[in-house]
Amino acid sequence: MLDTLILLMPILLADIVNPVLFAFLVYAAGTDRPLGNSMAALLGHTASYLGFGILLAVAFDRIKARIDNPQAIDFGIGLLIGVLLLWMAWRSTMADSTAPERQAKGLTPVSAFGTGAIINLIGLPFALPYFAALDQMLKADLAVDETLVMLAGYNLAYALPFLMVPLLVWLMGERSRPVLNRINQKVDRASAILMPGMLGLVGALLLVDGLSYFVVGEGLF
């Protein structure tokens, strides 16, 4: 188990780069219910992420069987996804995709919880490290309860850095807004470099894999 935990650490660090979630938490912290809305948004995202991980773990055997015996349609889908990821990488360099919708009105803890969950779902292209982490957990061949505990621990560790938003709101009140905005700008600038490269790399690999299959009859992966 210790070996698995060591492998999970760098994966977790890569997974935490989520400018969309952080931007929305900062936005929620600027509403009329800053603490409740930002905390609810984080809880919604975390619950959705954990639930998605459990579903993947349950379906992993079927997914792995299909991966071990790929068909032409799988390479075709991979080729399409590769093109879409390259397009997303290009688009992410042209527009600010991390800014939350400023037109949202009347945000409540309930709607913030739901929006946090939705942000997780629409952010799945950025969740590739999560898939890698789940793969490492399942490779460890632990008992079901131990795997679930490790998965829950991973999700809690993922949420901890984002907890700084409601924590700063609780400690500083209105004074936290300029601080959070400055942090958000730094996260935005960093993600503007990291995310296009990450999406572009994965997209290029899928594209080459699909083309290799249809040209020479064998994929790279």
Side-chain angles (χ1 to χ4, degrees), residues 21-39 41 100-102 104-108 112 165-166 168-170 173-181 184:
L21 174 59
F22 193 86
F24 182 70
L25 291 178
V26 172
Y27 170 65
T31 61
D32 56 350
R33 299 177 182 176
L35 183 58
N37 287 340
S38 59
M39 194 67 195
E101 291 292 331
R102 298 295 175 182
K105 302 292 183 181
L107 191 67
T108 66
V165 176
L168 282 176
V169 170
W170 180 58
E174 290 290 328
R175 293 176 297 154
S176 66
R177 294 191 182 187
V179 176
L180 289 173
N181 285 331
N184 190 39

Side-chain angles (χ1 to χ4, degrees), residues 15 43-60 63 116-135 137-138 147-148 151-152 154-155 158:
D15 199 11
L43 288 174
H45 186 279
T46 303
S48 177
Y49 216 22
L50 178 59
F52 183 74
I54 292 174
L55 288 176
L56 272 180
V58 171
F60 182 78
I63 295 172
I118 292 172
I119 286 174
N120 174 56
L121 295 177
I122 64 175
L124 289 181
F126 301 103
L128 296 172
Y130 193 48
F131 302 141
L134 186 59
D135 182 49
M137 294 178 202
L138 295 172
T147 302
L148 290 176
L151 182 60
Y154 180 93
N155 279 268
Y158 175 91

Side-chain angles (χ1 to χ4, degrees), residues 151-167:
L151 182 60
Y154 180 93
N155 279 268
L156 289 175
Y158 175 91
L160 280 178
F162 298 100
L163 193 60
M164 68 178 294
V165 176
L167 183 61

